[in-house]
Amino acid sequence: MKLRIYYEDTDIGGVVYYANYLKFCERARSEIFFKKGASPHNDNQFFVVKKVEADYIKSAIFADELEVTTKLLSKKAASLEVFHEIYRADELIFTAKIKLAYLKDYKPTKIPKEILEFFSSI
């Protein structure tokens, strides 16, 4: 997923606010669903973030164009682990390993086969 950094994404110094990198990763995961004509939230079923390991390598700044990539690292019955990389041109500036738990009625539940297929194709 490609995106541009707007003023609203930055702090007073024009540098991307650290929490926004996680928002960019969230958007990239949502795009996986949107490209399949689906929603990442269906009625009472959805993913929640259980764990994040992030590495801030370099700062993005106002007007930068970034690309967020997503790779499936592992899958279990009720959880997934994905790896995100954020690039500015060919320069890696951020990585995150994120564990997602799948919930139904706010309780962990088995991920439906069609949802797993979305992530298997990335």
Side-chain angles (χ1 to χ4, degrees):
M1 179 192 82
K2 295 187 181 206
L3 60 100
R4 181 178 299 280
I5 300 304
Y6 295 99
Y7 184 72
E8 67 188 31
D9 299 319
T10 65
D11 60 19
I12 196 164
V15 175
V16 172
Y17 185 65
Y18 79 96
N20 287 340
Y21 293 93
L22 298 175
K23 291 180 182 182
F24 301 154
C25 293
E26 184 74 37
R27 290 180 198 170
R29 290 194 306 277
S30 292
E31 282 297 323
I32 292 167
F33 286 84
F34 297 149
K35 287 181 180 178
K36 303 284 187 178
S39 172
H41 186 280
N42 292 310
D43 300 321
N44 57 347
Q45 299 181 47
F46 48 88
F47 284 100
V48 295
V49 173
K50 182 170 178 9
K51 182 178 180 180
V52 175
E53 293 177 32
D55 188 10
Y56 299 84
I57 301 163
K58 291 194 175 183
S59 296
I61 59 173
F62 177 72
D64 276 351
E65 291 182 0
L66 305 180
E67 182 170 5
V68 184
T69 64
T70 306
K71 296 174 187 161
L72 178 64
L73 293 178
S74 65
K75 58 184 173 180
K76 294 184 179 176
S79 67
L80 298 175
E81 194 168 59
V82 295
F83 186 70
H84 292 284
E85 294 177 315
I86 299 181
Y87 292 88
R88 177 180 42 229
D90 293 331
E91 181 180 32
L92 181 64
I93 65 169
F94 175 85
T95 64
K97 185 164 64 167
I98 300 176
K99 184 172 185 174
L100 305 165
Y102 195 74
L103 305 182
K104 180 177 182 180
D105 296 325
Y106 299 98
K107 296 176 186 169
T109 191
K110 185 175 179 180
I111 303 168
K113 181 181 174 187
E114 61 273 10
I115 301 295
L116 281 176
E117 290 174 2
F118 291 172
F119 285 91
S120 297
S121 64
I122 58 171

